[in-house]
Amino acid sequence: MIDFNKIPSPCYIIEEDLLRKNLSLIRSVKDRAGVNIILAFKAFATWKAFPIIREYISYSTASSIYEAQLAYEEMGTKAHTYAPVYTRKDFPTILKYSSHITFNSLNQYEYFKEEVKNHSEKVSCGLRINPEFSVVETDLYNPASSQSRLGIPVANLKELPEGIEGLHFHALCESSSYDLEKVLKAVEKKFGHFFPRIKWLNMGGGHLITRKDYNVAHLISLLSTFKEKYPNLEIILEPGSAFVWQAGVLSSEIIDIVENGGIKTAILDVSFTCHMPDCLEMPYKPVIRGATDEIDGKPTYRMGGNSCLAGDYIGNWSFNKPLKIGDKIIFEDMIHYTIVKTTMFNGIPHPRIGLWTKENTFELYREFGYEDYKNRVS
């Protein structure tokens, strides 16, 4: 149990026991299904926790030049890299730090294929395909619409170019194994005729394997059956959220309470737009420890961020007793897609990042200061 009184506010706190529980399940699925599961940095890239992750999973996927370099330096292995576009300036570095490179378009592959061929080390090339089918309902997170800029639709892929060894699709977002089954049927129907000619198939991210209601047995059965049908293929999954799902919190503190227009707002030392951006982008209402959705008769408050953005608030929550200045507000499940997406908009100080160890001690990973803000905007 985290002792929040021992941790300065605000702070992202990764819980080692919960992280290891997730990692154990992910490794179990990897081994039982005979597939390769790798960490997607787009959801979690706190590299000081990588020594723990490396005990269970060895590889990662990168979506940019910096993520690829981070994979090499801190995971100790070359990245499976995909980006919507590569530039001539960045591509030599991408090559240096990647074992696999997936191209978003035929144009990009044609532009860089000779550079890949002449590289001193073998790099496996693939193409991202668009199955034009997805169960994701929020457009912001749906990469598989028919108008998407991400991936090649089947109508534009008549033949596989020479040198292509794999295909990559991504059409899930915090999804179930049954969602994957639906997407996989669409992929196989449209692109299955290419499968005998490639070495690997990357099924992308969005597999929320560690969610309590996720049917792990069904996933293993689905992947095992697919591998039996296509024994030539290495199957790769690259979830991000699943690695740190419900494995940590954002601890904050009430700095002021204001009441206007009949609404009580607890103003915190964190910002939704700066530190929990998906709450406003998705949007979704996060879980607060010890609070419930609004209940008549109970003390009820809106949560307000500390930036000057008018919309930097979420609400309403009810509590068993009135809140007061200095109370801790603990936002649950705030490790995935938070730290990687934070900003210093408005010069708002960034929360600390740390680990609550399995020995019940706090290890501070990073504390941010004025120079971090100043150097970003110079």
Side-chain angles (χ1 to χ4, degrees):
M1 179 78 66
I2 297 175
D3 185 349
F4 293 102
N5 293 320
K6 294 182 177 180
I7 302 173
S9 181
C11 188
Y12 294 104
I13 308 166
I14 304 163
E15 298 185 57
E16 183 177 355
D17 283 340
L18 298 178
L19 175 60
R20 288 186 179 275
K21 181 180 178 182
N22 285 348
L23 291 169
S24 294
L25 177 57
I26 289 169
R27 183 173 63 184
S28 171
V29 172
K30 173 183 179 295
D31 293 343
R32 291 159 64 192
V35 300
N36 195 5
I37 301 181
I38 63 181
L39 168 65
F41 285 172
K42 65 185 291 188
F44 180 75
T46 303
W47 54 269
K48 287 191 176 180
F50 287 180
I52 298 172
I53 292 174
R54 288 200 305 265
E55 294 179 30
Y56 302 83
I57 297 292
S58 300
Y59 298 96
S60 55
T61 179
S63 302
S64 65
I65 182 174
Y66 294 156
E67 286 187 348
Q69 184 169 351
L70 188 67
Y72 185 78
E73 290 182 353
E74 300 300 337
M75 283 292 283
T77 50
K78 292 187 175 183
H80 292 237
T81 303
Y82 160 79
V85 69
Y86 303 110
T87 65
R88 175 60 70 189
K89 176 178 176 291
D90 289 347
F91 196 72
T93 305
I94 293 287
L95 268 177
K96 178 180 178 181
Y97 295 127
S98 302
S99 60
H100 297 63
I101 297 178
T102 296
F103 294 88
N104 188 60
S105 70
L106 293 171
N107 288 338
Q108 282 267 290
Y109 177 64
E110 289 297 321
Y111 190 66
F112 289 111
K113 68 178 182 180
E114 289 303 316
E115 191 168 348
V116 175
K117 185 177 179 181
N118 294 329
H119 187 58
S120 58
E121 297 182 49
K122 167 67 176 175
V123 175
S124 185
C125 290
L127 296 175
R128 177 160 174 170
I129 54 176
N130 180 3
E132 300 176 87
F133 175 87
S134 176
V135 296
V136 179
E137 296 180 353
T138 303
D139 289 342
L140 183 65
Y141 299 99
N142 179 12
S145 70
S146 59
Q147 295 85 28
S148 175
R149 77 190 195 287
L150 304 176
I152 306 167
V154 68
N156 296 343
L157 190 63
K158 305 301 182 184
E159 293 291 338
L160 285 183
E162 182 181 356
I164 291 296
E165 296 184 337
L167 294 175
H168 174 150
F169 67 88
H170 177 62
L172 301 177
C173 178
E174 298 184 358
S175 302
S176 71
S177 60
Y178 299 98
D179 295 329
L180 173 61
E181 186 173 33
K182 294 172 186 176
V183 171
L184 195 52
K185 286 180 181 178
V187 171
E188 188 175 16
K189 180 179 180 180
K190 293 183 176 181
F191 298 94
H193 56 290
F194 294 127
F195 291 174
R197 298 170 50 192
I198 58 176
K199 296 180 179 180
W200 51 267
L201 181 66
N202 188 321
M203 298 185 181
H207 315 272
L208 199 45
I209 300 168
T210 51
R211 188 172 59 196
K212 288 182 180 179
D213 62 349
Y214 193 97
N215 193 328
V216 172
H218 177 256
L219 174 66
I220 293 171
S221 175
L222 177 66
L223 295 174
S224 299
T225 300
F226 190 84
K227 280 176 57 65
E228 288 176 4
K229 189 173 183 180
Y230 301 103
N232 59 303
L233 293 180
E234 176 192 8
I235 304 302
I236 304 164
L237 280 69
E238 46 179 47
S241 295
F243 278 77
V244 289
W245 183 257
Q246 295 185 340
V249 301
L250 175 57
S251 172
S252 67
E253 186 175 307
I254 299 175
I255 305 301
D256 195 11
I257 298 175
V258 299
E259 183 172 0
N260 294 306
I263 298 293
K264 292 181 179 179
T265 301
I267 301 181
L268 310 172
D269 58 358
V270 293
S271 162
F272 293 97
T273 188
C274 296
H275 308 138
M276 296 170 274
D278 276 358
C279 292
L280 302 182
E281 291 178 1
M282 189 71 168
Y284 80 97
K285 186 178 178 181
V287 174
I288 292 178
R289 188 169 297 184
T292 64
D293 286 335
E294 185 172 3
I295 299 175
D296 288 343
K298 281 199 168 188
T300 298
Y301 301 82
R302 173 185 288 176
M303 294 294 129
N306 60 343
S307 81
C308 67
L309 177 70
D312 190 4
Y313 68 87
I314 298 284
N316 292 320
W317 283 272
S318 291
F319 297 81
N320 289 327
K321 60 181 180 179
L323 299 179
K324 62 183 184 299
I325 293 171
D327 282 349
K328 296 284 188 179
I329 298 294
I330 309 302
F331 292 95
E332 304 281 11
D333 196 22
M334 279 293 166
I335 304 302
H336 56 93
Y337 285 106
T338 49
I339 302 169
V340 292
K341 296 181 75 171
T342 56
T343 72
M344 288 187 170
F345 164 70
N346 227 173
I348 300 296
H350 193 290
R352 299 160 186 85
I353 303 172
L355 178 77
W356 187 259
T357 72
K358 61 182 187 295
E359 291 82 19
N360 288 319
T361 61
F362 179 65
E363 179 182 345
L364 179 65
Y365 280 170
R366 177 74 190 277
E367 188 166 12
F368 299 84
Y370 167 69
E371 294 299 325
D372 295 296
Y373 167 69
K374 183 178 179 181
N375 290 335
R376 287 189 67 172
V377 296
S378 60

